[in-house]
Amino acid sequence: MSTALNDLSRYPIVQAPMAGGAASPQLVGAVCEAGGLGFLAGGYKTAGGLYQEIKQVRGLTGQPFGVNLFMPPGGQHADPAAVEVYRHQLAGEATWYETELGDPDSGRDDAYDAKLAILLDDPVPVVSFTFGCPDRDTFEAFARAGTFTVVTVTSADEAQAAQWAGADAVCVQGIEAGGHQGTHRDYPDGALAGTGLLTLVTQVRETVQLPIVATGGIMRGAQIAAALAAGADAAQLGTAFLVCPESGAHVVHKQALTNPLFVRTELTRAFSGRPARGLVNRFMREHGPYAPAAYPEVHHLTAPLRKAAATAGDAQGMALWAGQGHRLARDLPAGQLVEVLAAELDTALTAQAHRSSAP
């Protein structure tokens, strides 16, 4: 197993670990076979389910791949009263979709310890962490296992904490990114805001000595080149791979990305209680302003609603996670998309070299 980021794949192209089913073993395998670095999402799965998906990926590719884990909320606890108020607000949704609301106390740790044990007992090439940073002992255990470790960060301070703890690299997530913002702490009174990717990459590059994976709104090879020029070593793309046939995303979600009906994205707590970027739909407009900072309680609460909306094919009630570049999505097989991105990157780098050498 490699310990250098750029030795993990032929191209500096990483497929984001999109939790909720999009990052299927088939998508991961296809990306890896084409020369990118594919990632399984460990979030929202049982430990046994994750183990089975790891086995599937190993059957599809012999190339390095990664697994992402959600860090438990730790000492942060939601206000039960605020969750209860939100439950009452969602009562009409439950009636509309003819389902019960979920139990907000269904669990807080996402089976983190059990998944950690699996990954240490039967190591994979890369493990990344979102929503926090493990302690030094955890990183040392993965180092002994030969696993390359990455921590998602949304600020230079978080990147510095990851370096101090012993991470091998950081995934720098700009505000443009689709899905959840990987902030290490979600303050209840915090604004739904953040820093743009290129600015953030530069800040982190001047703060730590770790390799950087840049993520947030990247849909084209020229954008990968821009991220590399800003100081990144690789780029991670999520929304770009969401529409691939190998993606496990719901067909309604895939179609919505380029549907003119959905013109913009916003950060919201409406579906999970944590800031996440998605296409603005009815559910987000009606409930986003009132959703408390309560993850994973709100996630559990809305899970049956989101499932019922998906079953009904109702995009207005689903969590349509998407980055700001969603309208640039291309319906291509994952392997072909990696090749197209690599060719675009090569063209952009060649153009950069010509400009820099011009008199």
Side-chain angles (χ1 to χ4, degrees):
M1 293 183 187
S2 174
T3 56
L5 177 63
N6 288 329
D7 291 339
L8 292 167
S9 57
R10 185 159 71 250
Y11 305 123
I13 299 171
V14 181
Q15 164 250 311
M18 298 168 283
S24 67
Q26 292 73 26
L27 178 63
V28 175
V31 169
C32 293
E33 284 295 287
L37 178 63
F39 256 94
L40 278 176
Y44 307 141
K45 294 186 177 80
T46 64
L50 176 60
Y51 180 68
Q52 291 302 318
E53 290 201 353
I54 291 171
K55 285 177 61 177
Q56 289 182 55
V57 172
R58 286 175 169 152
L60 293 168
T61 183
Q63 300 301 315
F65 65 96
V67 172
N68 175 259
L69 298 182
F70 285 170
M71 291 291 297
Q76 287 185 279
H77 291 279
D79 178 0
V83 175
E84 187 61 23
V85 168
Y86 197 53
R87 168 189 280 279
H88 283 295
Q89 180 175 334
L90 296 176
E93 297 283 352
T95 301
W96 175 257
Y97 289 112
E98 299 180 337
T99 187
E100 298 290 326
L101 293 172
D103 178 6
D105 299 317
S106 296
R108 291 177 55 80
D109 67 356
D110 198 45
Y112 174 77
D113 289 338
K115 293 171 185 176
L116 212 59
I118 286 172
L119 294 170
L120 287 170
D121 181 62
D122 190 6
V124 299
V126 191
V127 172
S128 68
F129 301 89
T130 300
F131 300 154
C133 181
D135 58 25
R136 180 169 291 278
D137 289 346
T138 300
F139 286 121
E140 290 177 349
F142 275 115
R144 289 192 295 272
T147 297
F148 189 88
T149 51
V150 185
V151 173
T152 303
V153 301
T154 60
S155 70
D157 287 344
E158 290 177 352
Q160 199 165 51
Q163 179 172 269
W164 286 341
D168 292 317
V170 288
C171 180
V172 175
Q173 184 190 43
I175 194 68
E176 306 93 335
H180 284 95
Q181 286 286 298
T183 51
H184 292 190
R185 291 187 65 82
D186 180 25
Y187 296 98
D189 57 350
L192 297 180
T195 305
L197 178 61
L198 294 183
T199 298
L200 187 57
V201 166
T202 304
Q203 291 174 349
V204 172
R205 179 77 290 153
E206 295 183 1
T207 303
V208 302
Q209 285 73 54
L210 297 176
I212 291 173
V213 180
T215 190
I218 299 175
M219 303 292 287
R220 296 286 188 267
Q223 292 173 292
I224 298 174
L228 299 183
D233 300 272
Q236 178 174 284
L237 296 79
T239 305
F241 285 103
L242 202 58
V243 296
C244 294
E246 298 92 342
S247 158
H250 195 283
V251 63
V252 172
H253 190 173
K254 293 183 179 184
Q255 293 169 348
L257 294 175
T258 53
N259 186 336
L261 181 66
F262 300 99
V263 298
R264 61 192 175 88
T265 64
E266 281 186 5
L267 287 173
T268 185
R269 299 184 192 273
F271 297 101
S272 71
R274 247 188 177 274
R277 183 174 296 281
L279 301 176
V280 177
N281 60 3
R282 178 195 61 78
F283 194 101
M284 189 189 294
R285 286 192 299 270
E286 292 183 3
H287 303 294
Y290 311 104
Y295 177 88
E297 288 83 358
V298 170
H299 163 76
H300 294 314
L301 194 63
T302 67
L305 300 177
R306 290 179 277 120
K307 183 177 181 180
T311 300
D314 182 7
Q316 297 299 332
M318 298 169 62
L320 303 172
W321 302 141
Q324 288 184 342
H326 65 95
R327 297 299 289 274
L328 296 170
R330 297 177 282 200
D331 185 5
L332 297 172
Q336 186 179 344
L337 179 56
V338 171
E339 292 169 359
V340 169
L341 288 166
E344 291 174 345
L345 170 61
D346 185 61
T347 298
L349 293 176
T350 300
Q352 285 179 8
H354 285 162
R355 285 194 295 269
S356 63
S357 62

